[in-house]
Amino acid sequence: MMNKWITGVILLLCSGLNLVQAAQVETLMVKAPGVDKPMAFQVTLPPSYSKNTDKRYVLLFDFHPRSRGYLEGMHDWMSHNGDWPWLETIIVTAPDGDQALGKLKEQAIEQEGNTALLDFMAQSLLPAIDAKYRTNGFRIMNGFTGNAGLVLYTLLNRPELFNAYLAASPVLSNDFAFVMKSATQKLERIQGKPRYLMLTTSDSDFEQRQLADFAALEELIETSNHPALHYQVKRFDGTYYMTQPILATAYGIEWLFDDYHRVLSPDSKIARGGVAAILEHYRYLSEQKYGFAVPSTDSLIALADAEFAKDKDKGLAVYQAAVKANPESHSAHDALARAYGELKQFDLAVAQQKLALAKTDHPFWTRKYSESLAALEAKQAH
């Protein structure tokens, strides 16, 4: 009996493994001005990339070549449940030991005012990525220790290159890349569309030399005027040094995409402003933060459910607004069909349920909506 149970578990695990889609790894050759030999950047494409040919993706870049392994694994785990909590992302990591890239980084670290590394990213690397791959315009720069110092250097000197900056245990001592020297003035120059910074550290032995500067930078960020910069500072005290980039990336991704996934509570400050306020919130996310559409559907449905329980007419108007704002959303049409059904307006309910069914090919929703449609048609016939 035990052997059968073990065999069953093994078969279950094997069938689960068959569901895992392997990421596709490619090499992107990028030439720097004045350098004969192009640099070989590694590009990890999400498993859905070759299947969903109309989809465009977030970009994450990290200077450390070994970061690809943990980023690829974390991304697969954190995105395989339908972009939640990590929106599917193209991950690009730097070549290992490339002398030309090393020189560019060295100049940024040691020569005050040198922008050659930033120019390379702005004029060569990022355009090459965008030209070859289906990026959606939202970019994240990720880094640990010295590379985290370069994340801060990039934020202060060319904030427009990336939308979000994740800096884990940054090297700041000895005025690394002149971050501490320039931060006072340059933080206040961050303007325009919002930029996001996750700044983290811990109290491990390896980070002790950086903690005084880290505290000074944290205080400066908290007290300076930079309305376009949204930030979070976290301490992972008591954890191991080599765990820091894992923790920082996980927390940073959750924080960064939280407003994409979180459904507004009907009693939240935004939702209390009604449909117009909710639509304005999602317009801000779509146009200012992300640069691609962030659907308002679930938040409008949540408000509609709450209103419908108190006042059928008001609730119905919100369901209708959800469909109007998100006409391709199967869940919006399904919610409106449900409302019409409760009001015994079965002709309208059937029409909306058919639209919900037409807007999805997902087996779960197809089955669910087919069952709902059959029930509504039966009531319509009577």
Side-chain angles (χ1 to χ4, degrees), residues 329-362:
S329 168
H330 61 84
S331 57
H333 289 287
D334 174 65
L336 182 55
R338 173 165 47 85
Y340 280 135
E342 290 192 34
L343 294 172
K344 302 187 185 309
Q345 298 179 31
F346 296 119
D347 290 347
L348 294 173
V350 166
Q352 288 299 319
Q353 198 66 68
K354 287 181 177 179
L355 285 171
L357 192 56
K359 300 294 182 183
T360 181
D361 58 2
H362 191 286

Side-chain angles (χ1 to χ4, degrees), residues 244-293:
Q244 298 312 306
I246 313 297
L247 294 172
T249 299
Y251 276 85
I253 289 297
E254 284 194 350
W255 168 68
L256 186 59
F257 294 127
D258 180 71
D259 51 15
Y260 182 95
H261 298 294
R262 185 176 296 278
V263 178
L264 295 173
S265 170
D267 61 358
S268 66
K269 182 179 179 180
I270 294 172
R272 287 200 302 270
V275 170
I278 291 176
L279 292 178
E280 179 57 34
H281 171 69
Y282 284 96
R283 188 176 299 112
Y284 170 82
L285 293 182
S286 300
E287 297 176 2
Q288 296 298 313
K289 178 175 180 178
Y290 291 107
F292 55 86

Side-chain angles (χ1 to χ4, degrees), residues 133-193:
Y133 300 103
R134 299 192 310 274
T135 55
N136 63 17
F138 191 84
R139 299 169 177 164
I140 305 168
M141 187 176 184
N142 189 70
F144 175 50
T145 61
N147 291 319
L150 290 175
V151 167
L152 295 172
Y153 159 82
T154 304
L155 170 65
L156 292 174
N157 292 281
R158 296 279 178 86
E160 71 278 6
L161 289 184
F162 295 87
N163 303 80
Y165 297 81
L166 310 182
S169 308
V171 172
L172 298 167
S173 58
N174 300 320
D175 206 13
F176 183 94
F178 306 93
V179 167
M180 297 303 296
K181 182 176 181 179
S182 64
T184 301
Q185 290 183 329
K186 291 182 177 178
L187 276 171
E188 297 190 356
R189 296 178 188 172
I190 299 175
Q191 300 176 356
K193 290 188 175 183

Side-chain angles (χ1 to χ4, degrees), residues 18-85:
N18 290 334
L19 296 176
V20 177
Q21 302 178 59
Q24 178 181 344
V25 181
E26 299 185 354
T27 299
L28 176 66
M29 305 304 293
V30 182
K31 195 173 183 305
V35 179
D36 293 333
K37 183 181 177 182
M39 304 176 191
F41 288 83
Q42 296 299 298
V43 180
T44 303
L45 301 174
S48 70
Y49 189 86
S50 59
K51 178 182 178 181
N52 298 336
T53 55
D54 293 332
K55 183 172 181 177
R56 307 189 77 83
Y57 295 81
V58 170
L59 169 68
L60 182 144
F61 172 72
D62 194 305
F63 271 122
H64 201 300
R66 293 195 73 120
S67 67
R68 184 178 69 83
Y70 83 80
L71 289 170
E72 180 181 321
M74 290 178 68
H75 171 261
D76 177 72
W77 178 254
M78 295 173 69
S79 69
H80 78 278
N81 284 326
D83 277 331
W84 182 85

Side-chain angles (χ1 to χ4, degrees), residues 315-325 336 340:
L316 181 62
V318 181
Y319 286 123
Q320 291 168 335
V323 168
K324 183 179 179 181
L336 182 55
Y340 280 135

Side-chain angles (χ1 to χ4, degrees), residues 74 143-144 166-170 198-205 207-208 211 214 218 232-255:
M74 290 178 68
F144 175 50
L166 310 182
S169 308
M198 170 66 82
L199 184 63
T200 68
T201 193
S202 80
D203 59 354
S204 75
D205 291 343
E207 290 158 297
Q208 290 298 318
L211 294 184
F214 186 96
E218 179 181 5
Q232 189 168 109
V233 179
K234 291 194 75 69
R235 296 286 299 261
F236 300 116
D237 290 349
T239 58
Y240 283 87
Y241 176 66
M242 292 305 293
T243 311
Q244 298 312 306
I246 313 297
L247 294 172
T249 299
Y251 276 85
I253 289 297
E254 284 194 350
W255 168 68

